Amino acid sequence: MKHITLGVLLFATTFVFAQENSEQPQLEDSSTEEAVSTDSSVTESSATDDSALAQTATLETASEQSPADEALPERTLEGYRIIRIQKTETKAFKDSVKRAERQIEEDKKPTIPFRFEVGLLASIGAKELFGSDRYAYYDRDRTSKEIEPVTLFHGYPVNVGLIATIPLNEATVAIKVGALFEYTNLIHNEDFFLKTNDSDESPWFEEKKREPEHGNISQMRVSFPLLFALKGRTTPAMFEVGSKISIPIQDKYKSVDFVDHNIRPAVDAALLIGGSFIINKYFTLMTHIEAQWSEIYDDELFVGVSDISLLGIHVGLVFTPF
């Protein structure tokens, strides 16, 4: 019995010792893991501190750089210099962009073309017949010795006839030709003396000899205008310049026709300048200034007046029925 009791105690002691030995490695492993984690946290903390110190040192270094260092060109890791090109919008560039935008908008507009057409023209206007007063006859109070123009007559011409448009390209250049009949009643603006075969050169002698004249002159003539018309592709307005040749039919004062007495030239030549505006396919508005550079009458017609010329303006409407 004693031996059995000793054996049991020995087995129990052995079992307890074995249990203690099996738990000891686990405790050592856990302590090892705690030690490793502690070491890693310490390492990370030290790395963070080192990074912060490095950044602080970098900032301090950057702040300590001199202006000369900052002025140095930027270079790559290989040592090549870096050149950065920035877009600069100069005035010439901006103007070119605006021109391009305007051209795009212009191209979008519809074309207003020239058409070959023959229309009926009716116009009214105003004109003045004037000359140079060599003797200050029409301005007695004038003290200047300069030759001044004097208006002898003024009137309101009426034109009717045909005018044709001949395009030279689609929409920008054309020629206009016409045949017109013109009638004008010229109203006297100043009293005047008509020269006669036995008249003296002095106007004051004529004034003492007889009373001055005052009356109207009626004119009729056939005119042939020739105009060059220029306009934009999309605009209905055009500029016109050209000439007009006129053949007098009648130029009558009282019972005297100046054409029959060869006092009136056989042909008149005048400069035309003005423009037209296309209202629609049927109507066009026209206006021209007429400046006649050839003398209207012989210098022997009016006492004290020479270089007789004409200046007028015409405003008309052209109707194109087809």
Side-chain angles (χ1 to χ4, degrees):
M1 191 66 181
K2 183 177 179 181
H3 292 287
I4 295 172
T5 303
L6 291 173
V8 171
L9 292 174
L10 182 61
F11 176 78
T13 303
T14 304
F15 178 79
V16 171
F17 181 79
Q19 289 289 336
E20 289 178 357
N21 288 337
S22 62
E23 293 175 0
Q24 185 67 29
Q26 295 179 356
L27 293 175
E28 290 177 359
D29 293 340
S30 62
S31 63
T32 303
E33 290 175 0
E34 290 177 0
V36 171
S37 62
T38 303
D39 294 337
S40 63
S41 63
V42 171
T43 304
E44 290 176 359
S45 176
S46 62
T48 304
D49 294 341
D50 293 341
S51 176
L53 291 174
Q55 292 179 357
T56 303
T58 302
L59 294 175
E60 290 176 354
T61 303
S63 63
E64 292 176 357
Q65 288 182 351
S66 63
D69 294 336
E70 294 178 357
L72 293 176
E74 185 179 1
R75 298 184 180 274
T76 62
L77 296 177
E78 293 80 4
Y80 295 103
R81 182 177 178 181
I82 299 175
I83 300 176
R84 302 187 183 276
I85 302 176
Q86 297 181 351
K87 180 180 177 182
T88 303
E89 294 186 357
T90 61
K91 184 179 184 301
F93 174 77
K94 294 179 180 179
D95 292 342
S96 64
V97 171
K98 290 180 180 179
R99 285 194 297 269
E101 292 176 349
R102 286 196 298 267
Q103 185 63 41
I104 293 173
E105 294 297 326
E106 187 70 19
D107 293 339
K108 292 180 181 178
K109 296 179 180 179
T111 300
I112 300 178
F114 277 123
R115 298 185 299 131
F116 176 79
E117 58 188 15
V118 178
L120 302 174
L121 171 64
S123 71
I124 59 174
K127 67 168 57 176
E128 288 189 352
L129 196 66
F130 59 92
S132 299
D133 180 10
R134 293 179 297 178
Y135 302 107
Y137 177 67
Y138 297 94
D139 190 359
R140 299 289 184 85
D141 297 331
R142 188 180 62 197
T143 57
S144 175
K145 295 183 180 180
E146 295 181 0
I147 298 176
E148 296 289 341
V150 56
T151 301
L152 296 173
F153 298 89
H154 68 276
Y156 306 96
V158 177
N159 288 271
V160 292
L162 300 175
I163 189 163
T165 301
I166 305 172
L168 297 183
N169 59 18
E170 181 185 7
T172 57
V173 184
I175 293 177
K176 292 186 176 184
V177 295
L180 308 174
F181 173 79
E182 179 182 314
Y183 173 79
T184 307
N185 183 32
L186 291 175
I187 304 169
H188 71 281
N189 201 66
E190 293 281 352
D191 292 343
F192 53 88
F193 288 100
L194 294 177
K195 291 183 179 179
T196 60
N197 293 331
D198 56 350
S199 64
D200 194 275
E201 284 295 325
S202 172
W204 293 277
F205 176 82
E206 288 286 337
E207 184 180 6
K208 295 176 182 178
K209 185 176 180 180
R210 57 189 173 90
E211 293 295 326
E213 300 279 350
H214 53 273
N216 300 341
I217 296 177
S218 63
Q219 294 180 336
M220 289 187 293
R221 61 180 183 170
V222 178
S223 301
F224 302 95
L226 173 63
L227 297 164
F228 287 92
L230 306 172
K231 76 175 189 68
R233 182 185 65 86
T234 61
T235 177
M238 66 194 76
F239 170 75
E240 297 173 349
V241 62
S243 62
K244 183 170 73 171
I245 302 298
S246 303
I247 300 175
I249 300 174
Q250 175 183 295
D251 203 307
K252 193 172 184 180
Y253 171 71
K254 293 183 179 180
S255 60
V256 180
D257 193 338
F258 298 142
V259 176
D260 295 338
H261 290 77
N262 296 324
I263 299 175
R264 187 79 159 85
V267 176
D268 294 334
L271 172 68
L272 289 179
I273 185 170
S276 297
F277 184 85
I278 301 174
I279 300 175
N280 53 40
K281 64 181 296 186
Y282 297 108
F283 293 98
T284 301
L285 181 66
M286 297 180 64
T287 178
H288 297 111
I289 295 176
E290 176 184 359
Q292 187 164 329
W293 61 80
S294 62
E295 291 191 11
I296 306 299
Y297 299 108
D298 193 303
D299 282 347
E300 298 300 320
L301 179 60
F302 298 100
V303 175
V305 181
S306 62
D307 302 326
I308 302 170
S309 303
L310 179 145
L311 183 65
I313 184 170
H314 306 272
V315 179
L317 194 66
V318 180
F319 172 64
T320 306
F322 51 86

